[in-house]
């Protein structure tokens, strides 16, 4: 979307440059030659052409703006998801360490309890 917006801005800018660089553009009977084709628009046609070029220029600027906003939003979401993944990974490691400590302490309790039993208390 950004690229298409830039293309539209460049086309509109090119049209403005061509219209302003034409030697007869300031005269009342302006005639233009574009790509080998000559034409002499009247005042109404010039106004409509200028409004069209302005509309294309504004559309291009709006597309660039919208595309850059969308890209920034996508980058923010990606950055948030990555930080969330790191946080969850750290939480997972902490829970694994806690589980390992609990299992180790349970194993010690079971080992200590079986070592403290008297031989006559043990089942046969």
């Amino acid at each position: 979307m950004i690229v298409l917006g830039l293309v539209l801005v460049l086309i509109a800018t090119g049209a403005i440059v061509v219209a302003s660089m034409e030697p007869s553009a300031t005269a009342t009977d302006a005639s233009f030659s574009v790509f080998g084709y000559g034409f002499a628009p009247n005042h109404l046609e010039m106004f409509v052409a200028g409004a069209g070029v302005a509309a294309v220029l504004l559309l291009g600027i709006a597309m660039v703006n919208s595309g850059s906003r969308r890209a920034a939003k996508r980058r923010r979401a990606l950055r948030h998801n990555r930080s969330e993944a790191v946080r969850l990974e750290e939480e997972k490691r902490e829970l694994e360490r806690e589980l390992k400590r609990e299992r180790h302490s349970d194993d010690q309790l079971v080992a200590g309890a079986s070592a403290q039993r008297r031989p006559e208390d043990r089942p046969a």
Side-chain angles (χ1 to χ4, degrees):
M1 189 176 248
I2 293 174
V3 174
L4 182 60
L6 286 174
V7 168
L8 290 176
V9 167
L10 288 175
I11 289 172
T13 304
I16 292 169
V17 168
V18 166
S20 64
M21 299 303 277
E22 189 68 31
S24 63
T26 58
T28 56
D29 57 342
S31 63
F32 297 97
S33 177
V34 178
F35 300 121
Y37 296 104
F39 58 97
N42 61 23
H43 295 291
L44 180 61
E45 291 170 340
M46 281 296 284
F47 176 77
V48 170
V53 168
V56 168
L57 180 66
L58 291 175
L59 178 66
I61 291 171
M63 289 176 78
V64 169
N65 192 15
S66 172
S68 62
R69 257 194 259 134
R70 184 179 298 157
K73 186 177 179 181
R74 206 170 34 237
R75 283 191 303 270
R76 269 194 306 274
L78 182 62
R79 206 170 27 246
H80 172 73
N81 290 342
R82 284 181 181 163
S83 67
E84 186 70 14
V86 167
R87 185 189 68 76
L88 290 173
E89 187 66 29
E90 289 172 0
E91 184 179 341
K92 176 186 160 202
R93 286 186 189 131
E94 179 61 33
L95 289 172
E96 286 174 344
R97 283 191 292 265
E98 187 177 318
L99 181 63
K100 193 174 185 180
R101 279 191 300 255
E102 286 179 10
R103 284 184 180 166
H104 183 68
S105 66
D106 287 348
D107 289 345
Q108 287 179 347
L109 286 175
V110 169
S114 64
Q116 290 179 358
R117 282 188 181 172
R118 293 180 293 193
E120 61 270 0
D121 292 342
R122 292 190 189 150

